[in-house]
Amino acid sequence: MQAVYLTGHGGNEVVAIGERPMPVRQPGEVLVHLHAATLNRVDLYMRDSGAGITHTLPQVMGIDGAGVVETVEEGYPGLKVGDRVLLYPGVTCCHCEFCVRGDEVLCTTMKLLGEHRDGTLAEYISVPARNAVPMPDGWSFEEAAALGVNHLTAWRMLMTQARLKPWETLLVFGIGGGVSLAGLQLAKAMGARVIVTSREQEKCDQALALGADAAICSSTHDVVKDVMRLTGKRGVDVVFENVGAAAWDAALRSVVRGGRIVTCGATTGDQPGADLRRVFIRQLQIYGSTLGNLAELHDLVRFCAQHALRPVMDRVYPMQEAHAALDRLASGQQFGKVAMSIA
Ligand SMILES: [Zn+2]
């Protein structure tokens, strides 16, 4: 089968496009004929370093994906040959303390597609049948693939961790990337008020067109000052953050007393100064979050179908143009998901 796979680490030279062996379906697994995947920042991390992530090369890239069920055991509940499915990216043990309590995203031995094992930038993949989730009706495979990582991450951040309420105000830093756009979309669909920031005016304008209530261009405006003006000097209820060091101080100063900050990334650096006095005197709550549980993915799919919410797509590349797609993601110029069509 054709696949995009890593032969080493460091730049696009190590990304190969060519033949890899067909996966062999094991008992309890589903063989999926993949039609699309989208790129995530972790793909760049795996390409450039992969440090700290146990894996063996060559390894197929790609963490999210969607396709059609090719083979599955007859009678498997809710799944049959020909079904259109998207994939939950974590293969978990089902037995550890965290899996048993239904928080398998914390599984001590979780293996992620495209990180610890072969991923989704391939014509076929075999995963435990529970990892295949029926796609919403009428969606493209690219849109469905996008739900499995970015939207799932944003969903857990807002619903499970920060528990955003419809009458609250959310501040999303760095609009344009997949997770921050998912945060904007989900929070608006919930009914919350959403303020976004970006260094680029164009991305601010695009976010306003998508329904953001206000947008602050951080290269020309003081984010904290504008947030205070927009909230009657009160601050926002929840800050949604994955920018890291460059936004952390503004995040701490933009949130209301007793407010929540939820973070899932640190693109600009992971060691910001922390004003601990502000954290305890103002009783701020800080949540770390990454990915989500399988049950949360099922909830998310239903929520998206009910609210006619679809991921924002930037560009779709054929698999043969994987290098250009990775460059597009690395450039930071994208607005929405960079997707790969697997024909
Ligand atoms: Zn486990």
Side-chain angles (χ1 to χ4, degrees), residues 92-96 99 107-109:
T92 55
C93 79
C94 300
H95 304 298
C96 74
C99 284
C107 177
T108 48
T109 57

Side-chain angles (χ1 to χ4, degrees), residues 31-342:
L31 181 68
V32 175
H33 183 189
L34 289 160
H35 287 235
T38 77
L39 297 183
N40 295 281
R41 291 215 71 85
V42 69
D43 295 313
L44 295 176
Y45 181 75
M46 289 304 294
R47 180 193 71 174
D48 295 336
S49 150
I53 296 175
T54 308
H55 63 286
T56 49
L57 297 174
Q59 180 169 280
V60 176
M61 299 182 74
I63 175 163
D64 61 34
V68 175
V69 173
E70 180 92 357
T71 321
V72 66
E73 270 137 48
E74 208 173 308
Y76 187 87
L79 217 54
K80 59 181 190 311
V81 171
D83 280 354
R84 291 154 57 94
V85 294
L86 62 100
L87 300 180
Y88 177 68
V91 178
T92 55
C93 79
C94 300
H95 304 298
C96 74
E97 170 190 351
F98 307 101
C99 284
V100 166
R101 75 159 88 124
D103 234 352
E104 71 264 21
V105 72
L106 298 175
C107 177
T108 48
T109 57
M110 177 149 76
K111 292 187 171 51
L112 287 160
L113 310 180
E115 291 188 45
H116 307 95
R117 50 170 287 168
D118 280 337
T120 53
L121 290 180
E123 290 179 286
Y124 292 92
I125 193 168
S126 188
V127 292
R130 66 198 293 269
N131 284 60
V133 175
M135 275 172 53
D137 289 336
W139 280 39
S140 71
F141 289 108
E142 287 80 8
E143 290 170 325
L147 282 195
V149 174
N150 281 175
H151 275 67
L152 177 58
T153 300
W155 175 267
R156 182 172 174 85
M157 289 170 77
L158 293 177
M159 304 291 180
T160 309
Q161 310 286 26
R163 297 181 301 282
L164 180 69
K165 307 293 188 300
W167 54 88
E168 290 184 325
T169 300
L170 176 74
L171 174 63
V172 179
F173 276 94
I175 204 71
V179 180
S180 52
L181 274 170
L184 164 63
Q185 289 186 297
L186 293 171
K188 282 312 298 173
M190 281 179 69
R193 180 182 181 217
V194 183
I195 302 170
V196 303
T197 80
S198 172
R199 294 187 54 76
E200 293 162 53
Q201 186 59 47
E202 192 189 347
K203 290 188 178 180
C204 288
D205 294 341
Q206 286 170 299
L208 289 168
L210 270 176
D213 296 279
I216 303 168
C217 182
S218 56
S219 54
T220 54
H221 287 72
D222 182 323
V223 170
V224 179
K225 226 181 239 177
D226 273 18
V227 165
M228 289 304 156
R229 178 177 56 76
L230 289 163
T231 58
K233 296 183 185 165
R234 176 183 179 271
V236 299
D237 300 282
V238 176
V239 170
F240 183 103
E241 217 296 277
N242 66 356
V243 173
W248 193 249
D249 180 61
L252 286 179
R253 291 189 294 123
S254 297
V255 73
V256 69
R257 288 167 168 265
R260 294 96 80 197
I261 299 173
V262 58
T263 174
C264 74
T267 312
T268 61
D270 56 12
Q271 303 288 329
D275 183 349
L276 290 179
R277 272 182 312 176
R278 177 169 283 266
V279 172
F280 65 74
I281 291 172
R282 298 174 75 91
Q283 305 202 30
L284 307 184
Q285 299 170 68
I286 297 171
Y287 298 90
S289 198
T290 189
L291 207 62
N293 290 320
L294 181 58
E296 290 170 318
L297 181 56
H298 280 276
D299 290 344
L300 167 66
V301 168
R302 290 170 62 193
F303 182 91
C304 288
Q306 199 164 329
H307 291 272
L309 185 162
R310 293 188 178 203
V312 180
M313 306 309 289
D314 178 64
R315 288 186 194 170
V316 181
Y317 293 83
M319 200 156 75
Q320 287 66 30
E321 292 175 24
H323 297 125
L326 287 161
D327 286 343
R328 174 79 182 160
L329 178 65
S331 76
Q333 288 172 342
Q334 77 280 7
F335 190 84
K337 292 300 285 176
V338 177
M340 307 279 296
S341 164
I342 304 166

